[in-house]
Amino acid sequence: MGGFFGATSHRDVTIDVFFGVDYHSHLGTKYGGLVYKDPDSGFQREIHSIENTPFRTRFEDDLATMHGCSGMGCISDSDPQPLLMRSHLGVFAVATVGFVRNAERLIEDFSKKGVQFSVRGSGEVNTTELVAALINQKADLVEGIRFAQEVTDGSLTMLLMLEDGSFIAARDRMGRLPVLIGKDDDGYSVTFESFAYGKLGYVDEYELGSGEIVKVTADGYEVLSPARDEMRICAFLWVYYGYPNSTYEGVNVETMRYRNGALMARDEAARGVLPDVDSVGGVPDSGLPHGIGFAYEAGKPFERPFVKYTPTWPRSFMPANQKVRNRVAKMKQVPVPELIDGKRLLLVDDSIVRGTQLRETVDFLYNAGASEVHMRSACPPIMYGCKYLSFSRSNSDYELIARRKVRELEGDEGEQHLDEYADNRTERGQCMLKAICEEMGFSSLSYQTLDGMLEAIGIDPAKVCTYCWTGRE
């Protein structure tokens, strides 16, 4: 995943952009970048790895040499960016968020035409450089952005900063990710997470629609290409990715999660399958509000039987070595023995993808003395790897625990009944739950239904992407 923040103003925005980008650190762990535009000194840009050092610490020393009334930056889980590009369209900075599935084919097509790309040690081309090359095929930036979005398979949201300090913001054609504009007395900001500009003194001004392209200056904004009617915004923004304070399409993340947990408990109570437990908790961090909603609706105390120790290893960065990463994941879980020993626990997690880390959490709770561990997922069983963003992407759908269990239970025949397996109320769904419980050590397991999750989000279901669960675009 990733996220960006930009600001253009009649005053210096160095600090605004620095903190605005930092507020997107939960969306990526690999690279951070900043670029500012000053009328006298031109563009100033820095890109750093943030795999072992958080964005704020890594870029703090750069602020002394960077300044401007326009600036932008991004957090990226894939490529170093923003990039500075020069072409017949001028000089501009560009950052992208999304996933271009057909990148290799596009690169091959360009190579046949004699276009060259810089590569990393692995031979990979920076996706943002590829997008810039696509934009440069056309006579102007707007036509180029439209072209880039049309020929890329996946999703593509971007922010460009031009030589005059203005921005062009473009939301993905299907609106899978958000782009919002904020305003203060001196100018405007563009962001992925709405709370980022709110904390900096900007107020809500405008939210781009699907495929919409908008130019933003210090004096206002102008729609360059209108929004499309069709939308497929990612449901995981509310369930998992989004920061609690953010709002997308008028729906706040935290309140959706409370509502989602409550709807799960309501459904279980109506079916008479709500287990008798001593407490309800959430798997930190994004599972906590789902758990709070579940606890209140179920009439059970909400407790935290374990907490994550994050002062030295917060979510926004982890060591590159996988062995150390695994050890850190275990070391971060610190128990509260008084809330575990001899207790019947119910935990709500935002999702269950492969299940590896969750199995370790359950073992950890049993080793600390829990008598029962009931698990709930705040979304339906994930049956398909994501085609559009970075969530649940994998080499094979059979790395996903739900899909793997279907395969083990029924082989090829199971592929014809995935909708049944995804429904807790069907015989096949119950068989899958039992199989996962046996492997993972859960006392019981239940998933939120697709209808329940969509009810919790509360916007037109036709506008929400549910591909990970249904396989339907």
Side-chain angles (χ1 to χ4, degrees), residues 147-163:
F147 173 70
Q149 292 184 325
E150 287 168 3
V151 299
T152 51
D153 181 13
S155 67
L156 183 58
T157 293
M158 67 185 85
L159 183 64
L160 284 69
M161 185 169 70
L162 312 186
E163 286 184 278

Side-chain angles (χ1 to χ4, degrees), residues 61-93:
D61 293 340
D62 295 318
L63 292 183
T65 61
M66 305 183 86
H67 56 274
C69 292
S70 294
M72 62 178 279
C74 69
I75 298 291
S76 176
D77 230 358
S78 55
D79 300 303
Q81 50 175 325
L83 299 184
L84 277 173
M85 309 302 299
R86 179 178 175 179
S87 73
H88 69 287
L89 301 177
V91 178
F92 58 90

Side-chain angles (χ1 to χ4, degrees), residues 304-307 332-340 364-365 368:
R304 294 195 298 167
F306 70 98
V307 295
K332 285 169 69 174
Q333 296 178 343
V334 184
V336 183
E338 293 81 359
L339 300 180
I340 301 175
F364 153 78
L365 291 170

Side-chain angles (χ1 to χ4, degrees), residues 3 6 50 60 121 209 214 224 235 252 264 294 305 327 369 411:
I50 55 172
E60 221 160 23
V214 175
L224 302 179
N252 172 258
M264 293 171 65
F294 193 106
R327 184 60 183 270

Side-chain angles (χ1 to χ4, degrees), residues 345-359:
L345 310 176
L346 187 149
L347 292 176
V348 185
D349 204 353
D350 53 68
S351 58
I352 302 175
V353 185
R354 295 170 183 82
T356 307
Q357 191 169 348
L358 194 56
R359 174 59 192 264

